[in-house]
Amino acid sequence: MSEQPAICEHSYAEELRVAALHAARSVADLLRSTFRTSVNAEHKTNTHDLVTEIDRRSQQIITESLLTAVPGSWVLGEEKISAHSGQQAPGSVQWIVDPIDGTSNFVHGIAFFCISIAAAIDGQLVAAVIIDPISGDEFTANLDTALLNDVQLNPAMRPAQSQANLMTDYPGAESLERDGELALQLFGQWIQDFATVRRKVSAALALAHVAAGWCDATIGFDTKVWDVAAGAHLVRMAHGTFRGLSFGQSDLVDHECPGFIAQGPGADYPSLDRAAQQIHQLRTRGTAEEV
């Protein structure tokens, strides 16, 4: 687990958890009430990358709630909004927000998406909230513990690889284009190595499921900071492991890396390490950089 920032008292981390929970709850009803209704989606980078007006409205509501709760903090969010998002400064609270992680599922009526909010200070995660608005499950963490619906998460030791359940969004369309045949080879190998492999297309909620012990591991190679920050902190506070994969990029903390491996307590799945090394070698053209 990453070293906890000395500047953040545990009581302050709890205040940030409560502020993030309040902000996430403020849009949960909006997502529930608009799910499986006629929601218009727009393409962002490609036909697989969607955004809706609900994403933007939710980002605006969350941003205003967080900045009101913690004056002087600033927000890094997936969606661009008009609200003033604050300014980065040493020691200030950074909120990392994805108003709907799993927008494609939301648009297509698949009940696997979430609201994700993390708090960081000087690059160190100190609090996290992930809400599944359909199930009503609220995953939260401060610097002491991870909770599910206010009950402490303490998942059992995870099973051996051959009995384990893996969640991954890899490979997507962009990964197939970038990694070619290797992407399909890796996915096929995981199907052989793990008991089950599920593509849920929400990295944040997959990480929350690892924290809860409902999933044994998850891996991603093309993620953004708002996809994983809250989930990374949840997994660590629930005694699991989260490792960022930098692919040769320097000066990145784990949750800012473009890839990751997250595993539940006691899990050590060599198939994931081998896959990370192969992707690293492909994307860095065989350099000796560490993954």
Side-chain angles (χ1 to χ4, degrees):
M1 186 170 63
S2 294
E3 183 179 351
Q4 295 171 358
I7 58 173
C8 184
E9 297 291 342
H10 287 224
S11 60
Y12 188 43
E14 172 61 12
E15 291 178 23
L16 298 178
R17 182 192 73 89
V18 172
L21 181 58
H22 176 76
R25 283 174 172 171
S26 70
V27 299
D29 285 342
L30 172 63
L31 270 58
R32 276 192 293 268
S33 65
T34 53
F35 181 53
R36 292 179 178 163
T37 62
S38 298
V39 176
N40 293 323
E42 305 168 19
H43 300 151
K44 292 200 289 187
T45 59
N46 55 53
T47 57
H48 307 281
D49 188 11
L50 303 179
V51 65
T52 71
E53 180 57 30
I54 307 303
D55 292 81
R56 297 189 182 100
R57 284 171 58 190
S58 297
Q59 179 85 56
Q60 185 95 24
I61 293 167
I62 290 169
T63 296
E64 292 172 354
S65 176
L66 294 173
L67 296 184
T68 298
V70 185
S73 61
W74 64 288
V75 176
L76 174 63
E78 179 174 12
E79 309 308 333
K80 305 302 181 185
I81 61 168
S82 59
H84 177 61
S85 58
Q87 295 180 345
Q88 182 176 5
S92 66
V93 174
Q94 177 196 33
W95 300 104
I96 305 169
V97 176
D98 195 338
I100 309 178
D101 187 68
T103 297
S104 178
N105 287 342
F106 175 74
V107 169
H108 292 101
I110 299 169
F112 199 87
F113 57 91
C114 65
I115 306 149
S116 177
I117 304 174
I121 298 177
D122 294 334
Q124 296 295 319
L125 298 169
V126 298
V129 168
I130 291 176
I131 291 182
D132 179 338
I134 304 305
S135 71
D137 287 325
E138 297 179 338
F139 307 84
T140 69
N142 51 28
L143 280 176
D144 296 307
T145 189
L147 305 168
L148 171 59
N149 302 327
D150 293 326
V151 177
Q152 183 174 353
L153 285 171
N154 190 26
M157 299 291 281
R158 297 296 89 202
Q161 181 172 279
S162 61
Q163 284 82 50
N165 170 25
L166 173 68
M167 279 191 193
T168 183
D169 299 344
Y170 185 86
E174 292 180 356
S175 301
L176 282 171
E177 183 175 349
R178 184 173 188 177
D179 300 333
E181 186 65 24
L182 177 60
L184 296 178
Q185 291 173 1
L186 292 177
F187 192 75
Q189 190 64 53
W190 292 335
I191 291 173
Q192 291 181 319
D193 291 344
F194 290 88
T196 59
V197 179
R198 309 181 191 280
R199 292 192 74 253
K200 290 292 195 175
V201 201
S202 171
L205 197 50
L207 286 162
H209 281 220
V210 172
W214 303 338
C215 173
D216 301 309
T218 182
I219 187 170
F221 295 129
D222 299 284
T223 52
K224 302 289 193 263
V225 61
W226 44 76
D227 299 325
V228 302
H233 191 60
L234 280 166
V235 168
R236 286 172 170 162
M237 291 297 102
H239 313 296
T241 60
F242 179 95
R243 175 163 63 98
L245 306 172
S246 67
F247 305 132
Q249 298 184 52
S250 60
D251 301 324
L252 293 178
V253 294
D254 278 344
H255 62 277
E256 294 175 342
C257 289
F260 72 93
I261 297 173
Q263 300 173 114
D268 183 13
Y269 301 142
S271 185
L272 302 183
D273 291 326
R274 287 194 298 267
Q277 186 62 45
Q278 288 176 274
I279 291 294
H280 170 78
Q281 290 174 347
L282 177 67
R283 295 190 179 185
T284 60
R285 298 182 179 177
T287 65
E289 303 264 3
E290 291 185 359
V291 290

